[in-house]
Amino acid sequence: MPRHQPSAYLSHTARREGWLALPPCRWVALLIFTLAARHLANPFIATVYVLYMAGMGTCMGSVMTSTLRTLADNQKTEGNAILNILQQFAGAVGTSLSAVVVAQSQTYLAGSQAYTTAVGTQNAFIMLTVFATVIWFSYFKVVK
């Protein structure tokens, strides 16, 4: 693709590598965490987290490479910096929102600290799964 058509190139790349927008293993891991949130043992958490991070690894490298390919050579440094900043910001926002959900459950639900934390964690996983699903579908709606 010529450099003067970055959106066409990105659209073609996204169709070809579209499943990488949110790899199924990331969504499946979030769903497992959501459904089993109150009954998690450490080995199970580690196993599902490895699945989640495998999806993250396959996703982020492809997305960053596809995005940086659309930029001119003199813009790639800034593009890489912007992508890393956005990734850090999204992680901070997700962590903050999850912490708020857990804290609200601990404050307003009746029961032991362990129970209210487990319920809050499950609610946070539900929120993250909904966000991931919305992002996935909006990605495919935008990139046709």
Side-chain angles (χ1 to χ4, degrees):
M1 270 298 170
R3 281 212 188 268
H4 65 279
Q5 295 178 344
S7 60
Y9 175 78
L10 184 59
S11 178
H12 169 73
T13 303
R15 274 195 304 269
R16 186 169 39 88
E17 301 171 3
W19 66 275
L20 294 174
L22 180 70
C25 54
R26 283 180 66 197
W27 192 84
V28 167
L30 277 173
L31 191 60
I32 290 170
F33 275 139
T34 299
L35 296 174
R38 295 190 202 178
H39 311 288
L40 298 175
N42 289 339
F44 183 74
I45 292 171
T47 303
V48 176
Y49 187 71
V50 166
L51 177 69
Y52 180 81
M53 291 311 293
M56 181 71 123
T58 60
C59 174
M60 291 312 296
S62 297
V63 169
M64 289 181 78
T65 300
S66 294
T67 303
L68 292 174
R69 278 189 203 160
T70 64
L71 299 176
D73 287 341
N74 64 341
Q75 296 175 323
K76 289 189 180 188
T77 306
E78 291 87 1
N80 188 39
I82 290 169
L83 288 172
N84 283 312
I85 289 169
L86 289 173
Q87 187 178 4
Q88 291 284 328
F89 182 73
V93 169
T95 302
S96 298
L97 289 174
S98 297
V100 166
V101 170
V102 173
Q104 291 295 316
S105 295
Q106 290 172 334
T107 302
Y108 295 109
L109 291 178
S112 68
Q113 184 78 14
Y115 171 76
T116 58
T117 302
V119 171
T121 302
Q122 186 171 29
N123 291 338
F125 281 129
I126 291 168
M127 175 192 69
L128 293 174
T129 304
V130 168
F131 286 168
T133 305
V134 168
I135 289 168
W136 194 15
F137 284 117
S138 63
Y139 175 83
F140 286 110
K141 184 173 175 78
V142 170
V143 181
K144 296 177 182 175

